[in-house]
Amino acid sequence: MSVFNFTNWLFRNKWWMVYAVRVVTASAATLLAVYILGLKVELSAVISAIVVTQSNIGGSLTKAFEQCAGSLIGAAYATCVILVIQPLDLLMNGISLAVALAPMAVLAAFSIGFQIAPFTAVIVILGAPGPGAGPYILASERLLSVILGCGIGHLISMLVLPVRASRSVVETGSRLADLLADQLKAIAPGDGTGEEALIARTSDVRRTLLELENLVQDAVSERRVSFGRAPDGQRLLRVLKRVRQDVDMLRRAARGAGDDALYADAGGSWRHAALSGAETLRNVSRILSGIEVQENINTLVPATRGYRATLDEMRKTGVTLTLSTDALSRLFGLGHALSQLQRDLDDLIAASLQITSSRARAL
């Protein structure tokens, strides 16, 4: 692997090191706080900090706040279970665990904010100090360990290389551009992609677009409370939605364009245009990932001109006279869709350059 490629790979996957730094920092800070306070809850406190820090991976500060509430609710409910059941042996510990976990698991299935609640409930029920300490000491010290670990974990998540929604918007937008490029490449003539694979790609695009919409909403909330001055990504989201519609339009038009007309005359130029559009989306993904793109970014521009020139040549040589009205409308529909995609890709490039430059200044 060359140095340049390794540098790009390292930049695109730097989140591995980011999360490792956050987990280690949260664990060390929690352990230090336990010793400073003279407590004997090292294991449960550190585990709480690790669970909280890992739960924020790939999320935003909004998600962190939601899970902070979920962790405290889980710990408080488990504490009430200990005080009521008073588990002093194995059987009572098992009953307490079941009573504490059942409602927290149900809540976790319906709300992101409660996904961490079962973990904190388990820590309160089973964490040190041991059963010989008595139920009230069990409840107080285990609850304190969870509060301490969760508090430090969330503090580290917000202060040490925080994962803000504005950053996640850029990363998710880059991933969506790659998915759209895959989809566009798959509908090019001669690609050989089956219908099931196309449906799977469409599902991936839909799911990632929904994720981006949620992150953009979180980014707007972050800007309101001044967590960052980076763009909220609303323009990027709007343009990516239009590009997705363009790709869907091209997919529908290509599927009904008529194999004879498409492959015999316009197939080559249409394939070149589809692959050029895919390459342009790859360039957008590179821009959003912080990788410099030196060549002509929108390679679809000359490819679209080439497709229109092919249609003009077909008209001049009389080939279009042999085609059905439906085939003609599909072929010229492809040209219209390509022109629309070209314009939207120009807007997408501009939005990507704006959001990455503003992000660099803000961060």
Side-chain angles (χ1 to χ4, degrees):
M1 181 180 293
S2 66
V3 176
F4 176 78
N5 289 335
F6 177 77
T7 302
N8 290 340
W9 175 86
L10 194 63
F11 185 88
R12 293 175 68 91
N13 296 280
K14 63 183 182 298
W15 58 272
W16 294 352
M17 293 176 289
V18 169
Y19 296 129
V21 168
R22 291 169 62 197
V23 169
V24 171
T25 303
S27 303
T30 302
L31 184 61
L32 179 61
V34 167
Y35 277 97
I36 290 176
L37 296 175
L39 303 175
K40 298 180 180 180
V41 289
E42 299 95 335
L43 180 61
S44 55
V46 171
I47 289 177
S48 298
I50 292 174
V51 170
V52 168
T53 305
Q54 287 184 334
S55 71
N56 295 326
I57 291 178
S60 61
L61 294 181
T62 301
K63 182 180 177 182
F65 290 139
E66 290 177 353
Q67 294 199 343
C68 181
S71 63
L72 294 179
I73 290 175
Y77 175 72
T79 300
C80 294
V81 171
I82 288 179
L83 294 176
V84 172
I85 299 180
Q86 299 189 9
L88 298 177
D89 53 34
L90 179 61
L91 176 61
M92 299 308 293
N93 262 327
I95 294 175
S96 300
L97 184 63
V99 173
L101 273 181
M104 295 300 102
V106 172
L107 289 174
F110 288 96
S111 172
I112 293 178
F114 284 98
Q115 286 181 352
I116 194 175
F119 295 98
T120 53
V122 169
I123 291 171
V124 170
I125 297 294
L126 301 179
Y136 294 101
I137 295 179
L138 282 175
S140 61
E141 294 208 14
R142 290 177 183 178
L143 179 60
L144 179 61
S145 71
V146 171
I147 293 175
L148 182 64
C150 290
I152 293 178
H154 282 289
L155 188 64
I156 295 300
S157 296
M158 290 186 289
L159 298 180
V160 178
L161 303 174
V163 181
R164 294 171 177 165
S166 55
R167 296 183 182 184
S168 297
V169 163
V170 179
E171 295 167 1
T172 306
S174 174
R175 192 167 74 252
L176 181 56
D178 274 330
L179 288 172
L180 289 169
D182 290 339
Q183 191 177 24
L184 191 55
K185 180 178 179 295
I187 64 178
D191 177 78
T193 301
E195 187 65 23
E196 291 185 2
L198 277 173
I199 293 174
R201 284 190 172 95
T202 303
S203 299
D204 290 340
V205 168
R206 187 185 305 111
R207 183 170 55 253
T208 306
L209 184 59
L210 180 61
E211 178 184 349
L212 181 60
E213 289 177 343
N214 294 332
L215 286 170
V216 167
Q217 292 177 1
D218 287 348
V220 172
S221 299
E222 288 181 3
R223 284 166 59 86
R224 289 173 182 165
V225 293
S226 301
F227 278 125
R229 294 172 295 174
D232 53 33
Q234 292 185 87
R235 179 187 177 189
L236 181 67
L237 174 62
R238 288 194 299 269
V239 182
L240 279 169
K241 282 184 174 180
R242 296 206 308 267
V243 171
R244 180 210 178 190
Q245 292 173 352
D246 296 336
V247 173
D248 285 344
M249 186 186 306
L250 286 167
R251 177 172 57 85
R252 290 191 297 269
R255 185 163 50 188
D259 289 343
D260 293 340
L262 195 55
Y263 281 91
D265 296 282
S269 58
W270 155 232
R271 174 176 172 79
H272 177 61
L275 296 180
S276 297
E279 180 58 28
T280 300
L281 284 165
R282 301 280 187 214
N283 287 335
V284 169
S285 178
R286 296 184 188 105
I287 292 172
L288 292 173
S289 298
I291 301 173
E292 185 177 355
V293 180
Q294 297 179 348
E295 68 269 16
N296 181 26
I297 299 176
N298 194 349
T299 58
L300 182 60
V301 176
T304 301
R305 287 198 297 264
Y307 181 81
R308 287 199 297 263
T310 298
L311 295 186
D312 290 340
E313 184 65 23
M314 290 172 63
R315 189 165 46 233
K316 291 177 182 178
T317 57
V319 174
T320 55
L321 297 176
T322 64
L323 301 178
S324 65
T325 303
D326 184 64
L328 283 174
S329 63
R330 299 287 186 174
L331 283 175
F332 285 97
L334 278 174
H336 172 74
L338 284 173
S339 298
Q340 183 61 49
L341 177 62
Q342 174 189 316
R343 290 191 292 270
D344 288 335
L345 285 179
D346 283 335
D347 290 343
L348 180 59
I349 292 169
S352 301
L353 291 172
Q354 179 191 43
I355 199 172
T356 51
S357 61
S358 300
R359 177 192 179 200
R361 291 194 301 269
L363 302 178

